[in-house]
Amino acid sequence: MSATVIAIDGPAASGKGTLARRLAEHLGCPHLDTGLLYRAVARVMMDRGIALSDAEAAASVAASLAPEQLDASRLRGVEMGEAASVVSVHEAVRNALLAWQRRFATQPGGAVLDGRDIGTVVCPEADVKLYVTASAEERARRRFREVSATGETTTFEAVLADILRRDARDADRAAAPMRAAPDARHLDTTALDADAAFAKALEIVESARS
């Protein structure tokens, strides 16, 4: 079967990252969590003491981002998620990272990419497009459990407020706002565990590939 590009979009903690990783493993193709690119830009800026609101500096960091800076162990957590959401509103940052993402998607064996604008901007010609979502409260519960497991101190209320802020910022930004592609298949994971969500996602993918 020919190479397949799978674009998975959706808000924070919807389960899209877990689905993307499992689908890539199942299909034997590479996976890119595009959110790590924005988190890496934010991490570099924070390490250098640069304000996240500095669009010119953020674009410069994005243009010179190196693979070794995508160390997930330094890019997780509520703080980095919020920081990534701030730098992602800069159009110049998104433009600088667009070529990286498209190169990844055009690998001979196909690829799975997840983010906020994969099906609409990065890979509008993707073979399969999924828009994964869940209620804000359920997403906050998932993120709260995830963060608590790392030992980071926070509250459910703080996580929910962060989720809602990020949703609004991602949906309202001028550059590549978060939205489902017109031809994307919607998958609500609110009432689904990881295995059930994967089964439904795989069904959608296999149906599109057949």
Side-chain angles (χ1 to χ4, degrees):
M1 184 172 290
S2 60
T4 301
V5 176
I6 300 173
I8 303 180
D9 292 306
S14 59
K16 66 182 182 299
T18 299
L19 280 177
R21 286 190 296 274
R22 290 187 65 175
L23 284 170
E25 182 178 357
H26 180 83
L27 299 171
C29 60
H31 162 243
L32 177 63
D33 173 357
T34 62
L36 284 182
L37 300 176
Y38 296 95
R39 287 172 181 250
V41 171
R43 179 80 269 172
V44 171
M45 295 180 72
M46 293 165 69
D47 288 347
R48 295 177 182 173
I50 304 171
L52 299 177
S53 58
D54 188 334
E56 184 176 350
S60 178
V61 170
S64 60
L65 199 65
E68 58 268 22
Q69 291 173 310
L70 300 181
D71 178 4
S73 65
R74 300 194 68 228
L75 303 178
R76 299 300 183 187
V78 173
E79 179 190 28
M80 291 312 304
E82 175 69 11
S85 184
V86 173
V87 299
S88 70
V89 305
H90 302 315
E91 185 172 6
V93 171
R94 306 196 71 83
N95 289 339
L97 296 176
L98 185 58
W100 176 317
Q101 296 170 78
R102 285 181 171 167
R103 283 196 302 272
F104 188 93
T106 56
Q107 296 181 72
V112 180
L113 294 85
D114 72 87
R116 302 289 195 280
D117 64 345
I118 310 304
T120 55
V121 175
V122 178
C123 300
E125 303 302 320
D127 303 285
V128 185
K129 299 178 187 177
L130 281 172
Y131 190 80
V132 183
T133 189
S135 70
E137 292 75 17
E138 176 58 25
R139 289 186 285 124
R141 279 190 285 272
R142 294 172 184 171
R143 183 53 52 84
F144 178 67
R145 289 194 297 268
E146 177 184 298
V147 171
S148 297
T150 69
E152 187 175 339
T153 301
T154 188
T155 65
F156 170 79
E157 290 74 19
V159 174
L160 177 58
D162 174 66
I163 288 283
L164 294 173
R165 278 196 304 273
R166 291 178 63 187
D167 284 355
R169 186 183 296 125
D170 291 343
D172 295 341
R173 67 192 179 210
M178 178 182 68
R179 61 183 52 149
D183 54 344
R185 295 284 299 274
H186 289 245
L187 177 57
D188 190 325
T189 67
T190 301
L192 302 177
D193 63 18
D195 289 338
F198 173 69
K200 286 187 175 294
L202 183 59
E203 181 182 341
I204 292 171
V205 170
E206 295 294 4
S207 175
R209 298 173 85 213
S210 61

